[in-house]
Amino acid sequence: ILLFSKDALSCSKAASFPLRICTNLCVFPGPWGRCMGSECGPGGSQSRAVWCAHVEGWTTLHTNCLQSTRPANQQSCFRVCDWHKDLYDWRLGEWNQCVPISLQTGRTGVCLQGEEGIQTREVNCVLKADSSAADDAICEYFEPKPRQEQACLIPCPQDCVVTEFTPWTTCSKTCGLGLQNRVRSIVAPPLFGGLPCTNLTEFQTCAPRACEGRETVFSLKVGGWSECKLPSLPPPPTSSASKRNRNKLNRLEDELWNMEIGYQSRQVVCVHRNGSTVSLRLCPHWSLPETFQSCLMTKDCVVSEWSVWGSCSKTCSDPSVPQGTHSRSRQLIRLPTGGGSECPQLEESQACEPEGDEVPYAWRTTEWSECRVDALLSQQDRRRGNQTGLCGGGVQSREVYCFQANAELLTLKPVDVLLCKGTTLSTTQLCQIPCPVECEVSPWGAWGPCTCENCDERVVKKGFKFRRRTITNYPTGGEGNCPHLVEAIPCDDPSCFSWQLVKLEECIPEEDMDCGEGTQTPQVRCINSEGIKYCSGQMCVDEVYPSSVPCVVPCPKDCALSLWTEWSTCSQTCSSKTAEGKQMRTRAILAYNAGEGGSSCPNTSTLQEVRNCNEHPCIVYHWQTGQWGQCVEDTTTSINSSSSAEKSTCTVGVQTRKVICVKVNVGQVPPKKCPEAPRPESVRPCLLPCKRDCIATPFSEWTECPTSCETGTNAQKNKQFRYRMIIQMSANGGQECPDVLYEEKDCPTPSVCPVYRWKTHKWRKCQLVPWSIRRDSKGAQENCGAGVQTRAISCRQLDGTVADVVQCLKFASSMPVMSQPCQLLCRDDCQLSNWSKFSPCTSDCVGVRTRRRALVGKSKKKDKCKNGQMYPLSETQYCPCDKYNAQPVGNWSDCILPEGRVESAVGMKVQGDVKECGQGYRYQAMVCYDQDNKLVETSRCNSHGYIEEACIVPCPSDCKLSEWSNWSRCSKSCGSGVKVRSKWLREKPYNGGRPCPKLDHLNQVYEVVPCVSDCSQYIWVAEPWSVWKVSNVDLKENCGEGVQTRRVRCMLNTVDGPTDAVEDYLCDPEEMPQGTRENRLPCPEDCVLSDWICFIGLLKPCSGRGDRERTAFALRLPKEGEDCPVSMQTEPCLLNRNCFHYSYNITDWSTCQLSASAVCGIGLKTRMLDCVRSDGKSVDLKYCEELRLEKKWQMNASCTVECPVNCQLSDWSAWSDCSQTRGLEGKMWRRRTVVEASQGDGRPCPSQMEQWKPCPVRPCYRWQYGPWSECRVEEVVCGVGLRFRNLSCFVSDGSGDGKSSIVEEELCAGLEQLLQMTLLICSGDCYLMEWSDWSPCQSVCVKGQRLDFTPVQVRSRAAIAQEPENIAQCPDQEWQSRPCSFGECYEYQWMGSPQLIWCQRSDGINVTGQAESMILFVCLCCPLQEGVCMCEEGYTEVLTAEGMLEQCTPIPVLEIPTAGDKKSDVKTSRAINPTLPTTVQPGRVGRTWYLQPFGPDGKLKTWVYGVAAGVFVLLIFIVSMIYLAW
């Protein structure tokens, strides 16, 4: 039975299922399952379960539910497969407008920081091909559906913010009733429905004093000039003479120079002070100003349409051009006149690509150069740079170039690197030169027996004794680099096989006697010369079989002797005339004989035997090999392999070496002296290296020569070059590389650029306004007055030939003016002659020069013309001076090394390279002054603009350490220890040299490696026991208690046995044999036992259980009736006392060891293995090897010592342009970058990555304008007039200190208009002021965070009135806003004291507003009570940590109704009147108690927690009472 919860089956929740029919039984469909199907796409199907369930939660049969309403349990679906991911994707719509949450939830409130909102967007699953809609489940299969809504923030309404008012202006009148104005400007426009801007102007009347007499009511007002227009005149008659003049002189009629003279007019009216116009006769005047004037008709520049684009300069077959261009042009039809719009650009070009397939380019590199170790050496190691055996880590370089990707290998021409895109390939990399492995051999083995040279062919009875050693570390290059491994000594009577004595059997007396003389039978085996045992003795049948050895079994009364010791080591390895090899063995008296009947003990001399050994002479031979020669072609097989050699240059060759027989300490001897069997080979096959030819690219294309012409006649010759790259170097006798990789040649001499200039023609006659138009004006009858005259301009070359005007527009100076005002003098005007030339100067820098003019005609007699100030007749100037002096200025530049590409030996620039330091030069700018201390060009002082001084760039010095000391001895003589070597500091690094490794407090660096000492290299050697010294001698028996002694020495153990005695501390003291022993000397007829044979029976490893035993055997039996003492002893096996565990001990890894010829790279780290006993003592490895313990450790491993790569820098860039083209502070910069940072202990990168030097000082010329004059209106009171200002050319050094001097105007370029049309206000005018400055850029912010709105700035202008009665006629104030960038977030706060309070923006601007509500949102603290900032009714104060008001927060208030109240719902109430003091609170209507749960800081008050606790206790009490009652 499937049970459902009641909540799940509640019929009121039917919306949670697609279909559910509920009475008491409901149909519940489950979720759809996974879409299944055999094919991908819409052919799938999915199913779901459908239940019939009761509302109580239990299920029942399907037949109990209404079958007609049963939903389907299967449907078709779209089966999604992985490849659908490329076909379907989510399509994201744009975010809709932010909708306030209050519109959705119905909540409203006061906006303090911003209003929360929600943005939505459409998200659909679509087919990528046609954007058709698809089921969302398809896209959800690969990626979750992106969110469809997000939170957003709507800023609060922002009211208009204005500045404070300016001070009141002066009264508009000096007498009578006038007006004063004060204005303010807008700093923030209203946004998001904020309040509009208030008035920007305030007026107040003023009356300075009463006017004396009649006050002026009327004013003569002149208007502005109208637009220039042509007079309506009939065309002038034409004649052949006029045509000739026009074609020859007046070329203005041409369309290009079509200038027409028209006229302008203006009005002169009489106005009342209230602004109304009245009759002219009411205004007193002597004469009226001119109402007409001539003007040049305004005509804009006219050009033709653009031509079609020209062909692209780049073609597929020209890969040397980085980027192609094509251009187009248009023709000039008419030049501008009369202030018309200037001509646009006549030519333009743009980048282009050739038509057709794009040519691909790619990076390609040369081969890596040979690996070089010397580039990584420090200064201390530079002396090793000449060594040829350097190995280990190194660095190699290559060149990177750009080529056409689809070209053949042998046609790869290098092209400009700008054609290749993407990251440039690296030019350097670390590399490894394998260090040669030195051959290491084992010590010599013992000399073998005398054996035949060749046991298979024993024809020659010539024998040798051999000794051998093996290779323990195979060298680089094979065994040929090892010393000889076999030495031979000639000997006589060689044998290939011999009998080896294993042991002698027990001594058996003769004739079945119990004692007396007997024999010992030897046990032997047949071995070959190498000691290998043969199962059959047939190989030794020719050899003498060892015979039985006579022996003696002492009887009870005989003297008892010990067994013979082993023969000692031979004293010599060979025999000579002065030295023979000897061996010795001894035995001792164990018991003396009886007085009668027993054999007596031998003399002392017979207790020792000596025999000769190593009787062969000291003549040692061995084969010595030379180095293998070069691999050469094998001439014996050249005939057979000739056909194959034609196909390949790689063939099999041979190598030979010299093999000679050497006699030790003598030299080369005939080969027959050495045995032939171990002779090394002298010839071996080898593989001839393949010949490799050099491969070089073809030459690149020649670089382009300058196509532009050179100015002047001294054009310099340029050069062009081409180059090629080596792709593959030659090797093994292949074709050599070409010598020439770079070619250079002179470019053709460039042509001299043509020089163009403007030629001006004579001024035409001054043209006045036509008489028909000005017939009523002054001077109309005389045909005189002001007019305009024009002149023709042509473009000429240097030789005077006519050129196209376009050429002068492009290459010549600014075009001269083509029109100017002129004056036709009337009868009453003063006429003057032209200025004469200046008089000559007598000498430079002294005196003056003058020029003059004179009055002409009747003007000489007119008094007004004699006014020297109005009409000066002479001008005076100081004579020019050519005395100059130069002075240094500014700081010295950086020390700059000589220019040129600097590369190290491996083709890369390295920080601290020799050429990166040393002598350079620094520069200081020079200035040139004339005799008046005015700045002039430095060329006047014959200076190139610099002072040059030698300087030194210090070279870096690396850290210097001493050489490594010798390795110390291993800290242990047995087992694992350590050995140490060290370096000490000789010189610290400076100037950016390589840093030192980490040093200890003694300024030393150590290297510690593990070591293992062979525990058997030093052994104790005990001599035979001495004769017994009996302490209580029984003279009759010669027996009793006694002492024996022997000498025990520590000796060096070699393959030939112990040799030299060494210090005792080198041997293990625990294993030292006894040097003295006490025992009882047996009496005659007592049993004599041999020495104890070592304990046997110990289990390995020791288990702590079992026994061990030792035995002895009877050397002399006792007399009859007596027994021998116990001949076997046992003792228990005790761990760490007489038995032990053994285990291998592995040391730590050594530091990474490099070859002596390497500085870094791949090295070897090692660790050692020794055998450790369970009591912690190191013992010989044989103990662990006998137990066959597992050796699971790797003893050697490769490691890497990081290479000390110095910092690699790029070349210095070209010098930049001057930061200032004129003045003292111009600088040029060049920079370099880090190509590869330093690694390991390499030299670090320098801090100076840029350098500067001063630019040549050039004077700063500028126009300096005087103040504008008052507005001058011709003979009237107000209206449109002109104002003037003076213009002077000044020179300065650009330092900003304000010092400048006036100079000739010719030095300043580009004159500016000296006249400005302005308006002189009449008394009745009301007008708008000039625009204010743009306000600072302001962003829309919330809590100091910028929102995604465009920042804005604003400007405004206010209205100004002159008369009180005209205020109503003033125009409306205006303001403009515009978007800006990088807006600021501003905050507002109250400032001041109780006496003076203002609202201030965070940038320091004082602002005001229209109403208190506006200030609430601006300053968040309004109104003020006695200088204290408070909040409005219904808001509580939120204070900062400093106690300052931060914001006002709405107060949620509970209204508790009394008996008289009928409402019981929760409402928001208003707080107290903020205008009253906080201590005075007015009464309220009715009896209503107000509980405010929140304090002034916005937090819950204490009583709220108390009430909550009381309610909680009350609930617990009620629940407890109910429980007890139940």
Side-chain angles (χ1 to χ4, degrees), residues 1423-1426 1430 1472-1482:
L1424 295 173
Q1425 291 292 335
E1426 298 180 352
M1430 300 182 62
I1472 61 173
N1473 186 353
T1475 59
L1476 296 179
T1478 56
T1479 56
V1480 180
Q1481 298 185 7

Side-chain angles (χ1 to χ4, degrees), residues 926-1226:
M926 292 286 293
V927 292
C928 186
Y929 295 99
D930 62 8
Q931 82 284 354
D932 296 327
N933 206 29
K934 296 178 182 178
L935 188 65
V936 296
E937 297 289 344
T938 54
S939 58
R940 302 285 183 91
C941 295
N942 296 324
S943 170
H944 63 280
Y946 295 109
I947 301 177
E948 188 177 281
E949 182 180 82
C951 56
I952 298 295
V953 176
C955 294
S957 177
D958 297 338
C959 174
K960 294 181 177 61
L961 302 174
S962 67
E963 296 297 330
W964 283 110
S965 65
N966 294 326
W967 287 106
S968 66
R969 297 179 63 177
C970 194
S971 60
K972 288 186 178 181
S973 60
C974 175
S976 60
V978 293
K979 57 181 180 178
V980 183
R981 66 176 181 174
S982 62
K983 287 182 179 182
W984 52 271
L985 178 65
R986 289 174 49 199
E987 186 178 325
K988 291 184 178 180
Y990 56 89
N991 293 334
R994 283 189 177 182
C996 292
K998 188 176 181 181
L999 305 175
D1000 65 357
H1001 66 285
L1002 298 177
N1003 284 335
Q1004 290 183 342
V1005 59
Y1006 296 93
E1007 192 172 32
V1008 180
V1009 296
C1011 58
V1012 171
S1013 297
D1014 186 4
C1015 293
S1016 62
Q1017 63 178 330
Y1018 302 106
I1019 60 173
W1020 295 107
V1021 176
E1023 296 182 358
W1025 290 104
S1026 67
V1027 179
W1028 283 97
K1029 293 181 180 180
V1030 181
S1031 56
N1032 51 350
V1033 179
D1034 186 348
L1035 297 179
K1036 293 181 179 180
E1037 300 294 336
N1038 195 13
C1039 61
E1041 299 295 331
V1043 176
Q1044 277 183 306
T1045 61
R1046 63 179 174 181
R1047 185 181 179 186
V1048 179
R1049 293 181 296 171
C1050 181
M1051 301 189 73
L1052 176 65
N1053 190 24
T1054 64
V1055 66
D1056 295 321
T1059 55
D1060 300 325
V1062 294
E1063 297 293 337
D1064 287 350
Y1065 73 86
L1066 295 175
C1067 291
D1068 187 357
E1070 295 182 7
E1071 296 181 357
M1072 183 176 181
Q1074 290 179 338
T1076 302
R1077 68 178 178 180
E1078 296 179 358
N1079 208 338
R1080 184 179 181 279
L1081 181 64
C1083 292
E1085 300 185 10
D1086 287 345
C1087 180
V1088 177
L1089 296 178
S1090 66
D1091 288 335
W1092 288 105
I1093 300 175
C1094 296
F1095 280 107
I1096 60 174
L1098 286 180
L1099 298 177
K1100 293 183 179 180
C1102 183
S1103 62
R1105 298 187 301 272
D1107 299 323
R1108 69 173 184 169
E1109 63 180 21
R1110 64 178 179 174
T1111 59
F1113 60 90
L1115 293 177
R1116 188 182 72 181
L1117 296 175
K1119 64 182 178 181
E1120 293 184 4
E1122 294 187 6
D1123 296 327
C1124 285
V1126 177
S1127 61
M1128 184 177 67
Q1129 291 181 350
T1130 62
E1131 67 178 10
C1133 296
L1134 299 177
L1135 181 64
N1136 293 338
R1137 289 188 59 184
N1138 54 19
C1139 73
F1140 304 91
H1141 293 307
Y1142 296 92
S1143 62
Y1144 283 116
N1145 175 54
I1146 191 74
T1147 65
D1148 293 332
W1149 286 109
S1150 69
T1151 55
C1152 196
Q1153 301 294 303
L1154 298 172
S1155 169
S1157 301
V1159 294
C1160 65
I1162 298 176
L1164 188 69
K1165 60 180 181 179
T1166 60
R1167 53 184 177 180
M1168 302 298 182
L1169 192 69
D1170 65 342
C1171 187
V1172 178
R1173 212 164 60 181
S1174 55
D1175 60 350
K1177 180 182 177 181
S1178 296
V1179 294
D1180 197 285
L1181 281 174
K1182 66 180 181 180
Y1183 292 99
C1184 291
E1185 291 172 351
E1186 289 174 358
L1187 294 175
R1188 297 182 180 179
L1189 299 179
E1190 180 184 3
K1191 296 180 182 180
K1192 57 184 178 181
W1193 302 278
Q1194 182 183 359
M1195 306 309 296
N1196 299 317
S1198 62
C1199 55
T1200 302
V1201 175
E1202 187 177 12
C1203 288
V1205 179
N1206 292 343
C1207 175
Q1208 300 175 21
L1209 304 175
S1210 67
D1211 293 327
W1212 285 108
S1213 65
W1215 287 104
S1216 66
D1217 295 331
C1218 286
S1219 58
Q1220 295 181 6
T1221 56
R1222 295 183 177 272
L1224 304 178
E1225 300 178 356

Side-chain angles (χ1 to χ4, degrees), residues 506-520 549-560 587 597-599 1114-1117:
E506 185 179 353
C507 186
I508 301 175
E510 297 178 355
E511 298 177 358
D512 297 330
M513 299 293 290
D514 292 334
C515 60
E517 294 182 356
T519 58
Q520 285 181 290
V549 178
C551 60
V552 176
V553 177
C555 295
K557 294 182 179 182
D558 295 339
C559 177
R587 59 181 178 177
S599 61
L1115 293 177
R1116 188 182 72 181
L1117 296 175

Side-chain angles (χ1 to χ4, degrees), residues 449-464 466 491 493-496 529 677:
C450 185
T451 182
C452 295
E453 183 178 354
N454 190 345
C455 288
D456 295 331
E457 299 178 1
R458 288 177 282 182
V459 178
V460 181
K461 295 294 286 186
K462 180 181 179 182
F464 290 94
F466 296 97
C491 60
D493 299 328
S495 62
C496 293
S529 58

Side-chain angles (χ1 to χ4, degrees), residues 855-868:
L855 294 172
V856 178
K858 297 181 180 180
S859 299
K860 298 178 181 179
K861 300 179 181 180
K862 296 178 181 178
D863 293 336
K864 68 176 183 177
C865 296
K866 297 178 181 180
N867 187 348

Side-chain angles (χ1 to χ4, degrees), residues 342-360:
E342 295 295 326
C343 292
Q345 186 178 358
L346 298 179
E347 292 183 0
E348 68 176 3
S349 60
Q350 67 179 13
C352 63
E353 290 293 334
E355 297 181 359
D357 296 335
E358 182 180 358
V359 179

